[in-house]
Amino acid sequence: MANTSDTVLVIGACGQLGSELTMELRKMYGDANVVAADISTPKQADLRDSGPFEKVDVLDTNVLAELASKYKFKQIYHLAAVLSATGEKNPKFAWKLNMDGLFNVLDLALEQKVERVYWPSSIAVFGPSTPRQNTPQQTVMDPNTVYGISKQAGERWCEYYFQKYGLDVRSLRYPGLIGYKALPGGGTTDYAVDIYHKAIEGENFECFLSENTYLPMMYMPDALKATLDLMHAPAESIKVRDSYNLSAMSFSPKEIAASIKKHIPEFEITYKPDSRQKIADSWPQSIDDSAAQQDWGWKPAFDLDAMTEDMLVNLKKMKQEQAV
Ligand code: AKB
């Protein structure tokens, strides 16, 4: 249950997930109670104009402490991270941001007696030796990207802070997230967002993954629902304190292109795999999320075709509004 008088901090609020999650939280907790924080300023007018914004570098503990004493947060969503593909370009920085950022938030939450923390993990915690089909909650994990290694280590630390200090930190292992409101930045699954933008512009799409590369994916409304359901579930039903497997659909570039072609028959896709192919090949193709189903009732609403229809309708609408 949401205590609607809570003050909530979203770090990484201008990102693909953060921008939409902040707006959902503002609907639940009230605009003034949800502070959007990011290192960059919001481009989205609704995010910028609807409630407080603070420019924050999650590596700056002084700024975080000032913010916490100003707003007295009850909940923190810490979403700022360097994703898989960008992380490989500067592994040391990705490690620093992803790990020090998490420590700064966990320690702040303890010091300031924040009641609940959310931190996203990813399917990137799995690696080449992980079973690739229906990947279990508990299994071999040998991530080989710096992003995946930081997420795996982060999961261990979240569980450690829960067990050692009683901090109520909760987490989901997101698959690739697809939404029309904001673009992702620097991930291996980003093609599945870009492809819709190209299709709606009447352009063909050159994919950086090969045609039969299956990956687990999720439409943004499902990701928002999962995140909020997890955060509002009673603490005693959260049995997994590292991070929950989460699943909605799996598809290949060839299949998403076929789904788009049902609406835009002239759309064409070509393939030019780059370094991101190796990352995709090390990740699961499908995920077993029965623990999330059992513990807090997780159930996705969107499959590939339902997502395609919704994406194309909304992207077209946005394009028309921009043209006015
Ligand atoms: C990425 O591709 O890096 C992310 C992820 C799966 O965590 N979208």
Side-chain angles (χ1 to χ4, degrees):
M1 279 293 288
N3 181 350
T4 50
S5 63
D6 279 4
T7 41
V8 183
L9 172 64
V10 183
I11 301 171
C14 296
Q16 186 203 15
L17 173 64
S19 54
E20 296 210 36
L21 190 61
T22 303
M23 296 308 291
E24 287 303 308
L25 287 164
R26 283 183 176 161
K27 278 186 216 154
M28 292 178 118
Y29 291 91
D31 290 344
N33 282 338
V34 179
V35 178
D38 204 293
I39 196 153
S40 44
T41 41
K43 289 187 196 76
Q44 302 90 331
D46 55 353
L47 179 65
R48 194 179 49 230
D49 301 337
S50 60
F53 173 78
E54 299 277 354
K55 207 165 160 60
V56 167
D57 177 355
V58 73
L59 297 178
D60 189 336
T61 48
N62 292 331
V63 170
L64 285 175
E66 277 165 27
L67 210 61
S69 58
K70 179 171 166 193
Y71 290 101
K72 313 267 181 279
F73 299 114
K74 289 276 171 52
Q75 299 180 40
I76 301 180
Y77 291 73
H78 168 40
L79 311 177
V82 177
L83 299 188
S84 57
T86 308
E88 294 311 290
K89 294 186 188 139
N90 191 347
K92 293 268 169 58
F93 176 71
W95 179 256
K96 186 173 173 55
L97 182 82
N98 293 1
M99 295 314 298
D100 289 357
L102 175 60
F103 280 125
N104 291 348
V105 170
L106 294 176
D107 289 337
L108 182 81
L110 282 184
E111 277 156 31
Q112 304 282 338
K113 302 197 175 14
V114 172
E115 286 172 8
R116 207 165 284 180
V117 176
Y118 179 76
W119 174 80
S121 185
S122 159
I123 54 163
V125 293
F126 301 115
S129 311
T130 302
R132 295 190 76 197
Q133 306 299 340
N134 225 14
T135 302
Q137 176 68 44
Q138 301 271 14
T139 187
V140 178
M141 292 162 103
D142 57 349
N144 59 9
T145 60
V146 67
Y147 172 65
I149 299 169
S150 72
K151 288 295 180 189
Q152 189 194 20
E155 286 190 4
R156 305 312 317 142
W157 279 109
C158 286
E159 186 167 293
Y160 185 91
Y161 271 65
F162 171 72
Q163 283 176 351
K164 183 136 184 162
Y165 307 117
L167 182 67
D168 188 354
V169 45
R170 305 176 181 199
S171 177
L172 297 171
R173 290 174 181 152
Y174 290 125
L177 300 183
I178 298 158
Y180 59 87
K181 292 192 182 155
L183 290 170
T188 303
T189 58
D190 294 9
Y191 90 86
V193 180
D194 297 342
I195 193 169
Y196 288 111
H197 285 263
K198 284 282 187 289
I200 212 79
E201 294 294 336
E203 291 176 32
N204 293 334
F205 180 66
E206 185 179 88
C207 187
F208 58 73
L209 298 181
S210 63
E211 61 182 335
N212 292 320
T213 307
Y214 277 83
L215 285 171
M217 300 277 186
M218 180 174 285
Y219 195 34
M220 190 59 82
D222 276 336
L224 297 173
K225 183 176 179 322
T227 309
L228 295 170
D229 284 358
L230 174 78
M231 283 297 273
H232 296 129
E236 55 283 6
S237 57
I238 308 300
K239 307 276 191 309
V240 172
R241 286 296 179 165
D242 48 1
S243 189
Y244 277 100
N245 274 8
L246 193 68
S247 168
M249 61 183 105
S250 290
F251 57 77
S252 63
K254 193 171 159 184
E255 287 176 350
I256 191 175
S259 179
I260 292 172
K261 270 168 101 65
K262 289 180 192 165
H263 301 264
I264 309 174
E266 62 281 13
F267 176 71
E268 293 295 340
I269 182 169
T270 53
Y271 305 93
K272 197 176 174 205
D274 65 17
S275 58
R276 289 168 279 193
Q277 183 68 46
K278 193 165 162 256
I279 300 177
D281 289 341
S282 76
W283 286 353
Q285 296 188 331
S286 60
I287 298 285
D288 172 5
D289 64 0
S290 45
Q293 293 174 32
Q294 277 153 27
D295 291 358
W296 43 276
W298 163 241
K299 194 170 179 288
F302 285 86
D303 63 11
L304 174 58
D305 282 338
M307 173 175 77
T308 297
E309 202 176 324
D310 203 63
M311 279 293 284
L312 293 176
V313 165
N314 281 294
L315 281 174
K316 203 185 261 173
K317 215 182 332 173
M318 279 170 63
K319 210 177 142 196
Q320 282 160 357
E321 281 164 10
Q322 278 158 12
V324 177

